[in-house]
Amino acid sequence: MGLGGISIWQLLIILIIVLLLFGTKRLKNIGSDLGSAIKSFRSSMANADKDDKVDDEQPTSGQAASPQVSTSKTSQDTDKNRT
């Protein structure tokens, strides 16, 4: 018995049927496309992890900036106080 009750002979028969249906050229293209997709996914995940680490180390300007309240009086404020 092989994987989950499937024997090696059953796997070979399935492989032969797949080869007959798709052909070796199409299977080669599918394999290379799948490999490049996995490679691209891994590199984008690695870049996302690096970006997250950089964001954790350096807060963005929106997060670090606190609202500044102006304490100086404007000309309108001084005019209101005079009346």
Side-chain angles (χ1 to χ4, degrees):
M1 283 282 173
L3 303 169
I6 299 175
S7 71
I8 190 73
W9 295 110
Q10 292 170 337
L11 289 175
L12 286 174
I13 292 171
I14 292 172
L15 178 64
I16 291 171
I17 292 172
V18 168
L19 281 172
L20 289 174
L21 287 175
F22 294 108
T24 57
K25 186 176 181 180
R26 183 179 274 175
L27 286 178
K28 181 181 175 185
N29 289 341
I30 290 172
S32 65
D33 289 344
L34 183 63
S36 64
I38 291 172
K39 183 178 179 180
S40 173
F41 177 76
R42 285 183 180 174
S43 66
S44 65
M45 291 300 292
N47 288 340
D49 288 341
K50 288 178 185 176
D51 290 343
D52 288 342
K53 288 179 183 177
V54 169
D55 287 344
D56 290 342
E57 293 171 359
Q58 298 175 352
T60 60
S61 61
Q63 294 173 346
S66 61
Q68 296 179 356
V69 178
S70 176
T71 56
S72 63
K73 292 184 178 182
T74 61
S75 62
Q76 291 176 350
D77 291 336
T78 56
D79 290 340
K80 286 181 184 177
N81 291 338
R82 290 183 190 170
T83 56

